[in-house]
Coordinates of all heavy atoms in Angstrom, one line a residue:
L69 N -8.0 15.6 -10.1 CA -9.0 16.6 -9.9 C -9.4 17.2 -11.3 O -8.8 18.1 -11.7 CB -8.6 17.7 -8.9 CG -9.9 18.2 -8.1 CD1 -10.4 17.2 -7.2 CD2 -9.5 19.4 -7.3
H70 N -10.4 16.6 -12.0 CA -10.8 17.1 -13.3 C -11.5 18.4 -13.2 O -12.4 18.5 -12.3 CB -11.6 16.0 -13.9 CG -11.9 16.2 -15.4 ND1 -12.9 17.1 -15.9 CD2 -11.3 15.6 -16.5 CE1 -12.9 17.0 -17.2 NE2 -11.9 16.2 -17.6
P71 N -11.2 19.4 -14.0 CA -11.8 20.8 -13.9 C -13.4 20.7 -13.9 O -14.0 21.4 -13.2 CB -11.2 21.6 -15.1 CG -10.1 20.7 -15.6 CD -10.2 19.3 -15.1
S72 N -13.9 19.8 -14.9 CA -15.4 19.8 -14.9 C -16.0 18.6 -14.3 O -17.2 18.5 -13.8 CB -15.8 20.0 -16.4 OG -15.2 19.0 -17.2
D73 N -15.3 17.4 -14.4 CA -15.9 16.2 -14.0 C -15.6 15.9 -12.5 O -16.0 14.9 -11.9 CB -15.4 15.0 -14.7 CG -15.9 15.1 -16.2 OD1 -16.7 16.0 -16.5 OD2 -15.4 14.3 -17.1
G74 N -14.8 16.7 -11.8 CA -14.5 16.5 -10.4 C -13.5 15.4 -10.2 O -12.7 15.1 -11.1
M75 N -13.4 14.8 -9.0 CA -12.4 13.9 -8.8 C -12.6 12.6 -9.5 O -13.7 11.9 -9.4 CB -12.5 13.6 -7.1 CG -11.6 12.5 -6.8 SD -10.1 13.1 -6.3 CE -10.6 13.7 -4.6
I76 N -11.6 12.2 -10.2 CA -11.7 10.9 -10.9 C -10.8 9.9 -10.3 O -9.6 10.1 -10.0 CB -11.3 11.0 -12.4 CG1 -12.2 12.1 -13.1 CG2 -11.4 9.7 -13.2 CD1 -11.9 12.4 -14.6
P77 N -11.4 8.7 -9.8 CA -10.5 7.8 -9.1 C -9.5 7.1 -10.0 O -9.8 6.9 -11.3 CB -11.6 6.8 -8.6 CG -12.7 6.9 -9.5 CD -12.8 8.3 -10.1
P78 N -8.4 6.5 -9.5 CA -7.4 5.9 -10.3 C -7.9 4.6 -11.0 O -7.4 4.3 -12.1 CB -6.3 5.6 -9.3 CG -6.8 5.8 -8.0 CD -8.0 6.7 -8.1
D79 N -8.9 4.0 -10.5 CA -9.4 2.8 -11.2 C -9.9 3.2 -12.6 O -10.0 2.4 -13.5 CB -10.6 2.2 -10.4 CG -10.1 1.3 -9.2 OD1 -8.9 1.0 -9.3 OD2 -10.9 1.0 -8.3
K80 N -10.3 4.5 -12.8 CA -10.8 5.0 -14.1 C -9.6 5.5 -15.0 O -9.7 5.2 -16.1 CB -11.8 6.0 -13.9 CG -12.8 6.1 -15.1 CD -14.1 6.6 -14.7 CE -15.0 6.6 -16.0 NZ -16.2 7.4 -15.7
F81 N -8.6 6.1 -14.4 CA -7.7 6.8 -15.3 C -6.3 6.0 -15.3 O -5.6 6.2 -16.4 CB -7.4 8.3 -14.9 CG -6.8 8.6 -13.6 CD1 -5.4 8.5 -13.4 CD2 -7.5 9.0 -12.4 CE1 -4.8 8.8 -12.3 CE2 -6.9 9.2 -11.3 CZ -5.5 9.1 -11.2
V82 N -6.0 5.2 -14.5 CA -4.7 4.5 -14.5 C -4.6 3.6 -15.7 O -3.7 3.6 -16.5 CB -4.3 3.8 -13.2 CG1 -3.2 2.8 -13.4 CG2 -4.0 4.8 -12.1
S83 N -5.9 2.9 -15.9 CA -5.8 2.0 -17.1 C -5.8 2.8 -18.4 O -5.2 2.2 -19.4 CB -7.1 1.1 -17.1 OG -8.3 1.9 -17.1
I84 N -6.3 3.9 -18.5 CA -6.2 4.8 -19.7 C -4.8 5.2 -19.9 O -4.2 5.0 -20.9 CB -7.1 6.0 -19.6 CG1 -8.5 5.6 -19.5 CG2 -6.9 7.0 -20.8 CD1 -9.5 6.6 -19.4
A85 N -4.2 5.6 -18.8 CA -2.8 6.0 -18.9 C -1.8 4.9 -19.3 O -0.9 5.1 -19.9 CB -2.3 6.6 -17.5
E86 N -2.2 3.7 -18.8 CA -1.4 2.5 -19.0 C -1.4 2.1 -20.6 O -0.6 1.2 -21.0 CB -1.7 1.3 -18.2 CG -1.2 1.5 -16.8 CD -1.5 0.3 -15.9 OE1 -2.5 -0.4 -16.1 OE2 -0.7 0.1 -14.9
R87 N -2.3 2.6 -21.4 CA -2.3 2.3 -22.8 C -1.1 2.9 -23.5 O -0.9 2.6 -24.7 CB -3.6 2.7 -23.4 CG -4.8 1.9 -22.9 CD -6.1 2.7 -22.7 NE -6.5 3.5 -23.8 CZ -7.5 3.3 -24.6 NH1 -8.3 2.1 -24.4 NH2 -7.8 4.0 -25.6
S88 N -0.5 3.9 -22.9 CA 0.6 4.6 -23.6 C 1.7 5.0 -22.6 O 1.6 4.7 -21.4 CB 0.1 5.9 -24.3 OG -0.3 6.8 -23.3
D89 N 2.7 5.7 -23.1 CA 3.7 6.2 -22.2 C 3.3 7.3 -21.2 O 4.0 7.7 -20.3 CB 4.9 6.8 -23.0 CG 5.7 5.6 -23.6 OD1 5.5 4.5 -23.3 OD2 6.7 5.9 -24.4
L90 N 2.0 7.7 -21.3 CA 1.4 8.6 -20.4 C 1.6 8.1 -18.9 O 1.8 8.8 -18.0 CB -0.1 8.8 -20.7 CG -0.9 9.9 -19.9 CD1 -0.1 11.2 -20.0 CD2 -2.3 9.9 -20.6
I91 N 1.5 6.8 -18.8 CA 1.7 6.2 -17.4 C 3.1 6.5 -16.9 O 3.3 6.6 -15.6 CB 1.3 4.7 -17.3 CG1 1.2 4.2 -15.9 CG2 2.3 3.9 -18.1 CD1 0.1 4.7 -15.1
I92 N 4.0 6.5 -17.7 CA 5.4 6.8 -17.3 C 5.5 8.2 -16.7 O 6.0 8.5 -15.7 CB 6.4 6.6 -18.4 CG1 6.5 5.1 -18.9 CG2 7.8 7.0 -18.0 CD1 7.4 4.8 -20.1
Q93 N 4.8 9.2 -17.4 CA 4.8 10.5 -17.0 C 4.1 10.7 -15.6 O 4.5 11.4 -14.8 CB 4.2 11.5 -18.0 CG 5.0 11.5 -19.3 CD 4.2 12.1 -20.5 OE1 3.5 13.1 -20.2 NE2 4.1 11.5 -21.6
L94 N 3.0 10.0 -15.5 CA 2.2 10.0 -14.3 C 2.9 9.4 -13.1 O 3.1 10.1 -12.0 CB 0.9 9.2 -14.6 CG -0.3 9.5 -13.5 CD1 -1.6 9.3 -14.1 CD2 -0.2 8.5 -12.4
D95 N 3.5 8.2 -13.3 CA 4.3 7.6 -12.3 C 5.5 8.5 -11.8 O 5.8 8.5 -10.6 CB 4.7 6.2 -12.6 CG 3.5 5.2 -12.6 OD1 2.4 5.6 -12.0 OD2 3.8 4.0 -13.0
R96 N 6.0 9.0 -12.8 CA 7.2 9.9 -12.6 C 6.8 11.2 -11.7 O 7.5 11.5 -10.8 CB 7.8 10.5 -13.8 CG 9.1 11.2 -13.7 CD 9.6 11.7 -15.1 NE 10.1 10.7 -16.0 CZ 9.7 10.6 -17.3 NH1 8.8 11.4 -17.8 NH2 10.3 9.7 -18.0
K97 N 5.7 11.7 -12.0 CA 5.1 12.9 -11.2 C 4.9 12.4 -9.7 O 5.3 13.1 -8.8 CB 3.9 13.5 -11.8 CG 4.0 14.2 -13.1 CD 4.3 15.6 -12.9 CE 4.7 16.3 -14.2 NZ 4.4 17.6 -14.3
M98 N 4.4 11.2 -9.6 CA 4.1 10.7 -8.3 C 5.4 10.5 -7.5 O 5.5 10.8 -6.3 CB 3.3 9.4 -8.3 CG 1.9 9.6 -8.8 SD 0.8 10.6 -7.6 CE 0.6 9.3 -6.3
L99 N 6.4 10.0 -8.2 CA 7.8 9.8 -7.5 C 8.3 11.2 -7.1 O 9.0 11.3 -6.1 CB 8.7 9.1 -8.5 CG 8.6 7.6 -8.5 CD1 9.6 7.0 -9.6 CD2 8.9 7.0 -7.2
Q100 N 8.1 12.2 -7.9 CA 8.6 13.5 -7.5 C 7.9 14.0 -6.3 O 8.6 14.5 -5.4 CB 8.4 14.5 -8.7 CG 9.6 14.5 -9.7 CD 9.3 15.2 -11.0 OE1 8.1 15.4 -11.3 NE2 10.3 15.3 -11.9
H101 N 6.6 13.8 -6.3 CA 5.8 14.2 -5.1 C 6.4 13.4 -3.8 O 6.6 14.0 -2.8 CB 4.4 13.9 -5.2 CG 3.6 14.8 -6.1 ND1 3.6 16.2 -5.9 CD2 2.8 14.5 -7.2 CE1 2.9 16.7 -6.9 NE2 2.3 15.7 -7.6
A102 N 6.7 12.1 -4.1 CA 7.1 11.2 -3.0 C 8.4 11.6 -2.5 O 8.8 11.7 -1.3 CB 7.2 9.8 -3.5

Side-chain angles (χ1 to χ4, degrees):
L69 210 68
H70 191 281
S72 54
D73 297 352
M75 174 93 78
I76 303 179
D79 281 342
K80 205 152 183 198
F81 68 80
V82 167
S83 62
I84 295 173
E86 282 183 333
R87 290 143 52 107
S88 70
D89 283 354
L90 187 51
I91 191 64
I92 298 180
Q93 296 165 44
L94 194 152
D95 283 352
R96 187 186 286 130
K97 290 272 172 155
M98 290 295 285
L99 275 177
Q100 272 162 354
H101 287 308

